[in-house]
Amino acid sequence: MASLPLAPSLLLLTSGWLGGGWAVRLGASRVIAVRRASAPLLLWTVEADELPRAIVSAAERVERAALLLDLPSHELRALELEAVSSGPTFWDDAASAEASLRELSIHRDAVARVAGWRLTVGDARASLELAQELAVPGGDGGEDAAELIAEAGRSVVALAAELEAWELRSLMRGEHDE
């Protein structure tokens, strides 16, 4: 793939699923995410011509995280709890029912987290493929292709930041880390 320039330099401050305080900067040839918080400065960059490799790397990281989460056990336990919660006697013991619903929420959250990560990777791949189709020499899709590359870069950088934060939280869940 030919190296496509990204949009002119632009700074985006994020909130929402990334949390507030993240800054994503689009430069001439890279996407950079920076977060300043009480933690040390975190910095991720993706060069436009390295984006395909960054997407593959992100996909591999997501699958490693899914293994660490033991995703199949979360999926199975969620199905079990959903079956139990639909039973006619589920609410006979309100405390037990509430505990089961809290546990169900934890399992559903884990499944949804990985599904969201996988969706982000899939969307980045699709954006990159579409950009490659639009970026034909002499064509008029160069600007659209550049925006798709920028969007894929932003997605991959944001996903890397989210995975980094998740990995750190996962490491800090030991008995002496509370």
Side-chain angles (χ1 to χ4, degrees), residues 7-175:
S9 185
L10 172 68
L11 180 65
L12 304 169
L13 295 178
T14 65
S15 60
W17 67 272
L18 253 186
W22 287 95
V24 178
R25 180 180 299 278
L26 302 178
S29 65
R30 70 179 60 165
V31 178
I32 303 170
V34 179
R35 180 174 185 224
R36 295 178 192 267
S38 58
L41 176 69
L42 303 174
L43 175 68
W44 296 267
T45 65
V46 176
E47 299 289 335
D49 58 350
E50 293 293 320
L51 188 55
R53 196 170 321 159
I55 292 171
V56 168
S57 176
E60 291 169 352
R61 258 180 106 177
V62 165
E63 294 312 312
R64 280 193 306 272
L67 285 173
L68 289 172
L69 266 170
D70 192 13
L71 186 62
S73 71
H74 283 287
E75 293 168 329
L76 180 61
R77 187 65 180 142
L79 288 173
E80 290 170 352
L81 290 168
E82 287 167 355
V84 168
S85 68
S86 65
T89 61
F90 179 70
W91 286 103
D92 288 352
D93 180 356
S96 176
E98 289 174 5
S100 293
L101 290 177
R102 279 191 299 277
E103 182 183 354
L104 176 59
S105 176
I106 290 168
H107 295 293
R108 282 182 176 165
D109 288 349
V111 171
R113 181 178 304 120
V114 173
W117 291 340
R118 287 175 173 161
L119 181 63
T120 298
V121 169
D123 288 349
R125 281 185 176 136
S127 292
L128 182 60
E129 289 171 10
L130 184 56
Q132 289 171 330
E133 291 173 14
L134 291 172
V136 292
D140 60 353
E143 189 174 307
D144 292 335
E147 181 53 39
L148 286 168
I149 294 289
E151 179 58 35
R154 286 189 299 265
S155 295
V156 169
V157 165
L159 179 59
E162 183 176 346
L163 286 168
E164 187 78 23
W166 177 82
E167 289 166 351
L168 182 61
R169 284 191 311 272
S170 295
L171 288 172
M172 302 302 285
R173 287 194 180 139
E175 65 180 276

